[in-house]
Amino acid sequence: MIKAGIIGATGYAGAELVRILTGHKEVKICWLGSRSYIDKKYASVYQNMFQLVEGTCLDDNIGELAGQADVIFTATPQGYLASVLKEEYLTQTKFIDLSADYRLKQLDVYERWYQIEHKSPQFLEEAVYGLCELNREQVKQARLVANPGCYTTCSILTAYPLVKEGLIDPDTLIVDAKSGTSGAGRGAKVNNLFCEVNENIKAYGVTTHRHTPEIEEQLGYAAGRPVTINFTPHLVPMNRGILVTAYASLLPKPDGTLPTEEEIRAAYETYFKNETFIRLLEPGVCPETKWVEGSNYVDVNVKTDARTGRVIMMGALDNLVKGAAGQAVQNMNLMFGLPETEGLRLVPLFP
């Protein structure tokens, strides 16, 4: 059995890790780390785990944990793992970090967008960006995986085939994204109170959201050059889910005509036909968050607009599963040579 430790086990992403790993036949959770609930029974924090999880919350002594666990998940705020990670720990165990500490390769970009000093930049080059569908082989060999953000996973996968194939001008890409409130975490914030969120929708982080450089960096690799986009997130009154609607200008083919919708869909088929967790919907069907809730699936589709010469790309995922914990478990499966789908064949909830 793989012994897994979770630091930040009582946040929403951490709790989702506990839920998924509890049903994983190859894993035993050996450490439920939570500064806020030390010595409290985990099931008293999340009563849905009553008689399912017997453990007690421990501290975040990562040095002690590294000697016990085969893999450590850090579902923690930005800056935590970067402040404590040492080569000594990486020689003892594997790390999957759900924060942004190792997602960006350029130190100055990280420090500018996150407004904190990076304490262990020596590991930036080694860290593998854990978007499994794009970096599967690198993840298999990794000691340190940077689990992608929720908005970024949906945005990148929604646009990737068209950027990679040169069918769109990525510098015209506009990503309009909407997320449920669990994406803001479990901490008490006035802006996330029921009366503030219910019957309301609002944009936030306009031109400043910290997932922007992550999307640009990864799509830049696909394009083979730096990419600049517009990314605008919105908060909507639901618990979980992300919906991305992205727009970009089509690039003419050598004969001067624009790609047809059939050619556009063929690009998605090429990249995603063998991907268990990416579902290309039937023509004309728009993704909905309800169709992926509670699952590790990403639903995508595309529609061309011949009148404007643009294409509309759509994607939906559960921000706590494929956007966080599910993707982390998918990465773990790859790192330990397990079937990639182990513990993740979660049927979406409906209604």
Side-chain angles (χ1 to χ4, degrees):
M1 296 288 283
I2 296 168
K3 291 178 290 185
I6 304 169
I7 302 296
T10 54
Y12 287 142
E16 198 73 348
L17 273 169
V18 174
R19 180 178 78 91
I20 294 170
L21 292 176
T22 297
H24 196 297
K25 67 181 183 181
E26 301 291 344
V27 173
K28 177 179 176 58
I29 300 174
C30 68
W31 191 290
L32 296 163
S34 173
R35 285 181 181 175
S36 301
Y37 297 97
I38 294 173
D39 295 331
K40 285 197 172 185
K41 294 193 72 171
Y42 190 81
S44 72
V45 182
Y46 283 100
Q47 194 69 24
N48 61 315
M49 291 299 178
F50 179 63
Q51 295 187 350
L52 300 176
V53 175
E54 298 297 333
T56 298
C57 295
L58 304 172
D59 60 18
D60 57 0
N61 187 335
I62 206 158
E64 183 180 347
L65 176 55
Q68 297 183 22
D70 300 306
V71 61
I72 297 174
F73 297 91
T74 46
T76 49
Q78 329 300 339
Y80 168 77
L81 186 58
S83 70
V84 299
L85 189 61
K86 302 176 182 178
E87 176 63 27
E88 173 191 351
Y89 302 155
L90 284 169
T91 62
Q92 295 176 286
T93 188
K94 300 177 189 292
F95 284 82
I96 301 173
D97 183 31
L98 278 71
S99 83
D101 284 359
Y102 300 99
R103 293 176 190 161
L104 297 165
K105 293 300 182 187
Q106 297 182 48
L107 176 63
D108 64 321
V109 174
Y110 173 87
E111 293 185 338
R112 183 169 70 251
W113 284 83
Y114 286 87
Q115 294 294 298
I116 55 176
E117 179 187 357
H118 200 294
K119 299 294 187 180
S120 54
Q122 67 271 27
F123 299 122
L124 287 175
E125 187 58 37
E126 174 184 352
V128 173
Y129 189 75
L131 191 47
C132 306
E133 288 76 13
L134 305 187
N135 296 324
R136 184 171 284 114
E137 295 308 313
Q138 297 96 309
V139 170
K140 290 178 181 179
Q141 307 301 321
R143 302 188 301 172
L144 172 60
V145 166
N147 209 62
C150 49
Y151 277 128
T152 50
T153 295
C154 199
S155 301
I156 293 164
L157 292 176
T158 297
Y160 181 84
L162 302 190
V163 175
K164 184 69 174 176
E165 290 298 304
L167 295 170
I168 60 173
D169 177 356
D171 288 328
T172 67
L173 183 64
I174 298 171
V175 178
D176 179 297
K178 298 172 178 64
S179 174
T181 58
S182 61
R186 199 178 186 217
K189 307 177 185 74
V190 170
N191 287 342
N192 296 336
L193 293 173
F194 178 83
C195 290
E196 305 288 330
V197 174
N198 189 48
E199 298 294 333
N200 191 25
I201 182 171
K202 57 185 176 183
Y204 67 98
V206 180
T207 76
T208 62
H209 195 278
R210 298 181 294 186
H211 282 181
T212 304
E214 191 179 332
I215 301 168
E216 291 179 340
E217 182 172 299
Q218 295 302 317
L219 290 182
Y221 296 147
R225 63 173 179 81
V227 166
T228 303
I229 69 166
N230 282 117
F231 171 69
T232 304
H234 301 74
L235 185 67
V236 296
M238 61 185 185
N239 289 337
R240 51 167 86 203
I242 284 181
L243 181 70
V244 160
T245 308
Y247 311 84
S249 297
L250 291 163
L251 288 174
K253 296 184 292 184
D255 64 4
T257 63
L258 294 177
T260 65
E261 190 161 313
E262 291 73 21
E263 291 169 323
I264 293 291
R265 287 185 63 84
Y268 282 84
E269 290 280 3
T270 296
Y271 286 95
F272 295 153
K273 64 181 177 182
N274 295 321
E275 295 296 344
T276 301
F277 294 120
I278 303 180
R279 305 191 298 191
L280 177 62
L281 302 181
E282 296 294 326
V285 178
C286 297
E288 298 184 17
T289 58
K290 201 65 174 175
W291 298 343
V292 294
E293 185 174 352
S295 81
N296 202 52
Y297 292 104
V298 184
D299 284 357
V300 297
N301 216 340
V302 63
K303 182 73 176 176
T304 57
D305 186 348
R307 185 180 65 87
T308 62
R310 295 177 68 82
V311 61
I312 298 91
M313 299 151 277
M314 298 163 283
L317 56 69
D318 186 317
N319 58 291
L320 292 179
V321 189
K322 182 59 173 172
Q327 184 144 256
V329 173
Q330 193 177 348
N331 277 307
M332 181 201 72
N333 288 339
L334 288 169
M335 295 166 82
F336 286 89
L338 300 174
E340 194 170 330
T341 57
E342 180 58 46
L344 293 171
R345 290 197 176 275
L346 307 166
V347 177
L349 303 171
F350 200 96

